[in-house]
Amino acid sequence: MDFDLSIINSHNPYNIDVEKFIEQFYGFIQLNHLYDSAIRQVETKLEIIDNEFQSTFQRNPIHNVQSRLKSPQSIAQKLQNKGIPITANAIIEHLHDIAGVRVICHYIDDIYAVAHYLSLHDDITLLNRKDYIKHPKPNGYRSLHLIITVPVYLSTGKKIVPVEIQIRTIAMDFWASLEHQLHYKSDNEVSDELAQQLKVCAETINDTDLKMQSIYHRLNKMD
C-alpha cells in the first residue's frame, strides 16, 4: 500500500512527522508477524513433545496450550514506565514478553519434563527461568516461567525472537485465572483478609496437585 503524503500532510494540525509515523507503523506490523511466527514455532515444538509422549508412554503431558501477543496499549505502557521511546527497535531490545505461550499440564512432574525437553532443542536459548512452584510468590501464585529465544526464518534472513513461556498444572491455572479476575477485573479492592484466604486456597490446590500426582505414581507403580 502506498500513501499520498501530500494529502496526509494537508490534514496534519499537530505537525507529526508523517514519514516517520508510517515507517513506525509498518515496523509494528512486521513485529506483530515476527512474534506471531515465534509463537507458532514454540507451539509446534510443544506439539511434537506431546505427541512423542503419547507414542512412547501412551499419555499426553500437556492438557492444552494457549498463546497471546501483548496488546499495543500494554507495550506502550510498559515502555513509558521504563522511560523508553515507543519504537519498534525499543520493543525488540527491551521487552521479552511480547509473545507469550501458556502450557497447561496434568501433573507437576509434567511441567519439569516439558521444560526439560524444550531445553534439549539446540535452536532454543534459555534467557531466564523463574520457578514459582518451588518458590511461590507471596500471594500463593505457582508456575514455571521461562524466557527463551527461537529462530524465525523470514525472506530477509533469520531473526532470533524471545518468547515467554508459563508452564503450570490445571489446578494452578484455575487458581491464577480466578485470582487475576478478583484483583484486576473487580472494582472492589481485595482486603488483606481475603488475600490471605486466596493464599490458603493456593496452598490447598498445591496439596491437591501433589496428592493427584502421588495417586498417578502409585497407579503406574512409579514409586
Side-chain angles (χ1 to χ4, degrees):
M1 180 187 297
D2 295 325
F3 287 91
D4 187 339
L5 297 183
S6 63
I7 295 175
I8 298 176
N9 281 318
S10 66
H11 297 84
N12 185 11
Y14 300 104
N15 295 318
I16 297 172
D17 186 332
V18 176
E19 290 189 17
K20 185 175 181 180
F21 172 80
I22 292 172
E23 180 183 344
Q24 293 292 351
F25 176 75
Y26 277 128
F28 287 126
I29 290 177
Q30 291 167 353
L31 275 185
N32 190 76
H33 171 259
L34 182 65
Y35 284 106
D36 182 65
S37 299
I39 286 175
R40 291 172 184 268
Q41 290 270 47
V42 173
E43 288 176 333
T44 298
K45 291 176 179 295
L46 291 167
E47 182 179 356
I48 291 171
I49 290 171
D50 197 49
N51 288 342
E52 183 182 0
F53 260 74
Q54 177 59 42
S55 63
T56 306
F57 304 111
Q58 289 73 55
R59 76 176 192 88
N60 299 93
I62 298 175
H63 175 64
N64 66 43
V65 176
Q66 306 161 6
S67 62
R68 64 102 182 101
L69 284 174
K70 190 178 283 293
S71 69
Q73 295 87 345
S74 296
I75 293 171
Q77 186 62 55
K78 197 160 189 177
L79 289 176
Q80 280 186 333
N81 292 341
K82 293 174 176 285
I84 298 170
I86 304 173
T87 65
N89 287 336
I91 291 171
I92 294 173
E93 184 176 353
H94 296 284
L95 300 184
H96 289 161
D97 61 346
I98 304 301
V101 175
R102 182 174 298 157
V103 186
I104 312 301
C105 295
H106 294 102
Y107 301 103
I108 295 174
D109 285 351
D110 293 335
I111 294 173
Y112 294 107
V114 169
H116 170 70
Y117 287 114
L118 268 179
S119 72
L120 297 180
H121 291 223
D122 57 12
D123 60 348
I124 281 182
T125 299
L126 178 66
L127 298 183
N128 194 17
R129 174 187 173 110
K130 292 184 179 178
D131 193 337
Y132 295 117
I133 300 172
K134 294 179 180 177
H135 307 285
K137 289 187 177 182
N139 66 347
Y141 173 86
R142 287 173 169 83
S143 185
L144 179 65
H145 288 199
L146 309 174
I147 301 290
I148 66 168
T149 62
V150 293
V152 173
Y153 294 89
L154 304 176
S155 61
T156 54
K158 181 173 72 172
K159 303 290 184 182
I160 302 300
V161 187
V163 179
E164 180 188 52
I165 304 177
Q166 298 176 358
I167 316 177
R168 58 180 68 153
T169 64
I170 298 169
M172 292 174 192
D173 189 59
F174 159 77
W175 182 90
S177 297
L178 293 183
E179 194 271 348
H180 179 79
Q181 283 190 348
L182 290 171
H183 270 285
Y184 299 102
K185 305 297 184 181
S186 174
D187 294 331
N188 300 319
E189 184 176 347
V190 176
S191 66
D192 291 341
E193 178 188 356
L194 291 179
Q196 181 59 32
Q197 289 187 30
L198 283 169
K199 185 175 181 180
V200 170
C201 287
E203 293 168 354
T204 301
I205 286 173
N206 183 61
D207 289 340
T208 302
D209 255 338
L210 293 171
K211 288 176 182 177
M212 293 300 292
Q213 181 169 270
S214 176
I215 291 170
Y216 170 76
H217 284 176
R218 291 175 64 185
L219 284 173
N220 290 274
K221 298 180 174 56
M222 296 174 66
D223 289 339

